[in-house]
Amino acid sequence: MPVQFAAPGVYIQEIPSGVRTISSVATSVAAFLGAAPRGPVNKAVRIHSFADFERNFGGLSADSEMSYGVRQFFGNGGADAWIVRVVKDASPASRTLLSSTAANVLTVTALDAGVSGNDIQLRVDYTTALPDSTFNLSVIRSSDGRAEQYANVSMNSADARYLPDLVNGVSQLVKVSRDVPQATLDGLPAGTSTSGAIADVATVIDATHTDFRVVVNGLPSVTVSITLPADIAGGTAIQRLTTLAAAIQAKVRAQAAGKPALLNFTCTRTGSTLVLGSGSGGEFSSVRVLAGARNNAAGVLKLGAAAGGIEADAVAAIRPARLPDPATLTSGAFAANDLDALPDATHSSLRISLDGYGPDLVDIGVAPAAGANLGAKMADVAARLQAAVRALKPGNPAYRDFVASVQGSILVLASGSRGAGSAIAVSAAASNDIATGLHLLTGAVLSPPPTDAFLGGGSETPYAAADIYPAFIGSRSKREGLYALEDVDLFNLLVMPGITDSGVLTDAASYCQERRAFFIIDAPPSATDVATMVQSASGTDLPKSDHAAVYFPWTHVADPLKNGKPRLTPPSGTIAGLYARTDGSRGVWKAPAGTDANLSGVQSLALTLTDGENGSLNPLGVNCLRTFPVYGAVCWGARTLRGADQMSSEYKYVPVRRLALYIEESLYRGTQWVVFEPNDEPLWAQIRLNIGAFMNGLFRQGAFQGSSPRDAYLVKCDRETTTQDDINRGVVNILVGFAPLKPAEFVVISIQQLAGQIQV
């Protein structure tokens, strides 16, 4: 903006030079379409190495020509590619996880549709900082060992560790959804915080242990200060604990400030423990006990997970149950009177083995089962059996987490460990046996665990010959197949290894023309000899486009999946890599052909061509691959599909067409600043300056014919190209011309004998 002159002095201002550098675009970014073992369907994914392809799409597959083409592309000099996986139909694998009450709570779905998702296994455990409220989820893809772990996660959507928020959009393997209706969330019981067993509060509460903080439903914490001795008054330990519970409840409610969760807060004594409960249930209900800012009493009262307490949020009821499942032993059915006299002095023991440990003798006591009916008596026996087994080996997870439960009229025993190593066995005790009376021998059913909890239901239908067109040329509006590349900003080379359907090739060539890209086409697999290839090139099998080129014959490459045995593969991936290598070493204006254009990784060609056979194909615009002594397999042609001699196309040669595309794309992107600028001579001068500088740079690199810039290129933008009528319509016309280099296809050497000089 103009400098405002106020006080006398020196003023400095910067004046724009009008120079706007036009950057060269990439020339060999390849786009591959085809089948792959896994990966997203109809979505372009950018990769920079074959290792990236292995990570994202599963690497080589015998059913995927694209996988071999991508490998050859990078092996021949390619460095940048977009991959689009194409299948006819595919559905993702998924698994619905159940809560401990067998309700659907969480669905895990593979990101990649197809059978590869069935290879993903899940593990759920509760070894977290809050083991009674949160859980850990592990996701492992067994095919390559890729694993993701989400630790200390919650089913509470307001929690910072809410599982869907952590997984969706972050995970490279799965997405998750919570399958709990709102009515169920609203009906969840209030969250609680239960202390450990307290012998006598009078012995642990003193002047230096009086304060702790309580966080209810995520609200700001409130401080509880115990008043001595009034808040622990009472003649017995139970009375003192009851008094303290009432005092804590009153002190929290006194700070409610109208919040229902605090206003209805509860604190009760259960046995020798304190149970703090939120005043409102639902998804967000929870109680957390934190250390006091001073005179901390949370530790001595065993309140809070860190002090040995149990904090169970409302959403603990909708956590997924631990996975994989444990080994279980289901008893035979109990009759109504089976436990009327059991256990007794001669029926109290059994032997149990978990995960191969033991067998160990378990004694559940001689007292008869307590309860008014069979269900209550079975529950009493199950509780006694569970406690006795857990006490045997507290350090062994199989024993420590052993569970005995009642399901109707049967008893279910479950190992505390999970997965393939989980095992359980019960046998009769040598004396005082009760295993028979509990129906754990005759009629019992052992249910070994699954190897692991895998996703399932993933399926895919590979495209057959009749499906190639709809699979590869999908809906443009849905961005399927070829049109998945709509999401790609720039690609220069299109490769569909092994795809030779004429309809697909025609549409793909048209799309390349639209996107200023070049299409590398494989010869039809049926063209196993020169005559058949001549027929294909002369007919309608191939699009007559100067944005495409065809290469013949197919190649043999070493197949790592078969110990290096030669595999017949289409040459397009190899040629795309050759294009990239030539662009990097010589420039896009150099024909990707000749003795320097060796085909790396190619062991042999499907057909060895002679000069005469090559001579019958070259005039038709078919680029031949040849094998020469010393040089090996090389590319020996550089014509587009309008390169047939009879067509007389100005874009007969591949390097000429690709150079034009390169210039067009670079100028298209480099002149965006011109839009909405004042359309007059100052703008035209800047255009001539900037485009001229770009073209002169190419000239200095040897991209054009001529010994001087005047002979090599032309940039014109003035009153002659842009008339007043154009200006009125908002149009500026720029004329850019260039003299391309044509490849030396035919080298003519004239040889003449010199007659000896005759003396006259």
Side-chain angles (χ1 to χ4, degrees):
M1 60 183 294
V3 176
Q4 299 295 322
F5 302 107
V10 177
Y11 294 85
I12 297 175
Q13 61 181 344
E14 295 182 355
I15 300 175
S17 66
V19 176
R20 300 174 187 266
T21 303
I22 296 177
S23 299
S24 299
V25 298
T27 59
S28 50
V29 178
F32 284 83
L33 274 75
R38 63 167 181 261
V41 177
N42 292 322
K43 179 181 179 182
V45 177
R46 194 171 193 175
I47 64 172
H48 295 92
S49 67
F50 189 67
D52 287 346
F53 182 83
E54 291 177 315
R55 282 188 288 269
N56 290 280
F57 294 93
L60 292 178
S61 171
D63 298 327
S64 170
E65 292 292 1
M66 181 178 71
S67 64
Y68 288 88
V70 172
R71 182 171 181 264
Q72 283 295 105
F73 171 73
F74 287 109
N76 278 271
D80 196 349
W82 291 91
I83 309 297
V84 178
R85 180 185 175 213
V86 178
V87 296
K88 178 185 176 184
D89 294 302
S91 59
S94 65
R95 183 185 178 105
T96 298
L97 304 187
L98 307 180
S99 67
S100 58
T101 58
N104 295 346
V105 291
L106 192 73
T107 295
V108 183
T109 305
L111 286 181
D112 298 340
V115 296
S116 63
N118 298 333
D119 216 20
I120 296 175
Q121 55 180 284
L122 307 176
R123 295 176 185 169
V124 177
D125 65 74
Y126 296 162
T127 55
T128 67
L130 295 171
D132 297 286
S133 295
T134 58
F135 60 100
N136 299 324
L137 174 66
S138 299
V139 184
I140 306 107
R141 187 167 59 200
S142 57
S143 60
D144 61 357
R146 184 166 188 169
E148 299 174 349
Q149 184 171 24
Y150 303 93
N152 299 299
V153 295
S154 172
M155 294 290 279
N156 180 349
S157 62
D159 196 296
R161 302 289 301 172
Y162 180 50
L163 180 64
D165 288 347
L166 297 179
V167 173
N168 297 337
V170 176
S171 173
Q172 299 297 307
L173 300 176
V174 298
K175 59 182 178 181
V176 301
S177 61
R178 189 179 66 180
D179 301 333
V180 184
Q182 189 61 46
T184 301
L185 293 173
D186 294 340
L188 291 175
T192 61
S193 178
T194 304
S195 73
I198 305 171
D200 189 348
V201 292
T203 63
V204 296
I205 298 297
D206 55 32
T208 60
H209 299 88
T210 57
D211 292 6
F212 61 88
R213 291 171 295 157
V214 180
V215 177
V216 182
N217 291 19
L219 297 170
S221 64
V222 296
T223 298
V224 175
S225 294
I226 300 171
T227 304
L228 296 175
D231 289 347
I232 56 171
T236 65
I238 292 298
Q239 291 174 339
R240 287 189 284 273
L241 190 60
T242 302
T243 302
L244 177 60
I248 293 172
Q249 176 175 295
K251 292 175 186 293
V252 171
R253 289 184 175 184
Q255 303 175 65
K259 298 180 177 63
L262 296 175
L263 193 62
N264 301 315
F265 174 84
T266 62
C267 182
T268 58
R269 177 193 63 79
T270 300
S272 58
T273 64
L274 292 171
V275 180
L276 286 63
S278 169
S280 61
E283 176 187 358
F284 310 118
S285 183
S286 64
V287 178
R288 296 279 186 274
V289 176
L290 308 177
R294 60 186 181 88
N295 299 334
N296 177 36
V300 297
L301 290 175
K302 302 179 182 179
L303 282 168
I310 297 173
E311 293 184 334
D313 298 349
V315 291
I318 59 171
R319 287 189 298 177
R322 291 184 294 170
L323 282 176
D325 298 329
T328 59
L329 183 67
T330 303
S331 74
F334 281 72
N337 301 320
D338 280 352
L339 292 179
D340 287 353
L342 290 178
D344 60 23
T346 58
H347 300 87
S348 62
S349 302
L350 56 83
R351 297 176 71 82
I352 192 167
S353 175
L354 298 175
D355 292 7
Y357 294 95
D360 297 288
L361 185 65
V362 182
D363 193 321
I364 63 173
V366 299
N373 52 47
L374 177 63
K377 291 178 180 179
M378 290 181 67
D380 178 60
V381 169
R384 289 157 63 177
L385 179 59
Q386 176 175 297
V389 171
R390 290 185 173 187
L392 291 174
K393 293 182 174 68
N396 186 321
Y399 287 77
R400 182 191 64 212
D401 299 325
F402 170 83
V403 175
S405 60
V406 177
Q407 294 182 8
S409 63
I410 60 175
L411 196 62
V412 180
L413 311 185
S415 170
S417 66
R418 294 165 183 264
S422 181
I424 184 170
V426 171
S427 57
S431 61
N432 301 334
D433 177 63
I434 197 175
T436 302
L438 296 181
H439 304 292
L440 292 173
L441 300 179
T442 303
V445 178
L446 177 65
S447 299
T451 301
D452 267 307
F454 285 89
L455 303 187
S459 64
E460 63 185 68
T461 304
Y463 50 82
D467 306 316
I468 288 178
Y469 186 87
F472 278 79
I473 309 297
S475 167
R476 189 161 195 163
S477 62
K478 297 179 181 178
R479 301 194 174 185
E480 297 173 338
L482 177 67
Y483 298 112
L485 295 174
E486 291 285 279
D487 293 327
V488 175
D489 177 53
L490 174 70
F491 71 94
N492 315 105
L493 306 173
L494 177 63
V495 187
M496 298 181 180
I499 302 302
T500 57
D501 178 86
S502 60
V504 173
L505 298 184
T506 300
D507 284 9
S510 298
Y511 187 66
C512 284
Q513 184 169 350
E514 178 184 332
R515 294 294 302 270
R516 288 186 286 274
F518 196 81
F519 189 15
I520 301 175
I521 298 176
D522 296 309
S526 59
T528 56
D529 54 46
V530 174
T532 308
M533 190 64 225
V534 169
Q535 183 178 359
S536 294
S538 303
T540 59
D541 293 344
L542 300 172
K544 306 305 179 185
S545 170
D546 59 22
H547 283 67
V550 66
Y551 289 84
F552 170 82
W554 284 30
T555 62
H556 287 105
V557 301
D559 188 353
L561 300 182
K562 293 188 176 181
N563 297 319
K565 181 180 178 181
R567 173 190 170 99
L568 183 64
T569 60
S572 53
T574 303
I575 299 301
L578 172 62
Y579 277 29
R581 186 173 79 230
T582 305
D583 290 354
S585 62
R586 298 288 298 276
V588 70
W589 48 86
K590 165 65 174 69
T595 56
D596 290 337
N598 61 296
L599 308 178
S600 299
V602 173
Q603 293 182 324
S604 63
L605 302 177
L607 181 65
T608 301
L609 299 174
T610 65
D611 288 343
E613 291 170 333
N614 194 161
S616 65
L617 292 171
N618 194 67
L620 299 177
V622 177
N623 298 316
C624 295
L625 307 182
R626 301 284 303 274
T627 300
F628 294 131
V630 179
Y631 297 107
V634 298
C635 178
W636 206 248
R639 293 197 181 193
T640 69
L641 281 171
R642 291 195 66 84
D645 290 343
Q646 293 182 353
M647 290 186 173
S648 303
S649 171
E650 62 182 334
Y651 289 110
K652 178 178 184 178
Y653 294 110
V654 170
V656 177
R657 165 43 72 197
R658 295 187 65 230
L659 175 61
L661 294 176
Y662 162 70
I663 294 173
E664 290 170 15
E665 190 68 33
S666 296
L667 296 184
Y668 170 76
R669 294 168 181 266
T671 56
Q672 295 291 322
W673 63 271
V674 174
V675 181
F676 299 118
E677 289 293 313
N679 194 359
D680 205 356
E681 183 56 44
L683 173 65
W684 304 338
Q686 289 186 53
I687 291 173
R688 293 193 298 270
L689 173 65
N690 292 306
I691 296 181
F694 172 75
M695 298 296 286
N696 189 61
L698 293 179
F699 167 71
R700 293 170 64 87
Q701 295 177 62
F704 307 133
Q705 295 184 48
S707 58
S708 67
R710 181 187 298 273
D711 300 329
Y713 65 87
L714 165 70
V715 179
K716 188 173 180 62
C717 183
D718 51 26
R719 281 285 178 187
E720 292 184 20
T721 62
T722 305
T723 65
Q724 184 60 46
D725 182 59
D726 291 329
I727 295 173
N728 294 340
R729 292 184 295 111
V731 176
V732 58
N733 292 312
I734 308 167
L735 175 62
V736 179
F738 67 98
L741 293 167
K742 306 290 179 66
E745 261 195 317
F746 310 105
V747 179
V748 179
I749 301 174
S750 299
I751 301 176
Q752 180 182 31
Q753 290 186 2
L754 296 177
Q757 294 186 2
I758 300 175
Q759 298 293 330
V760 295

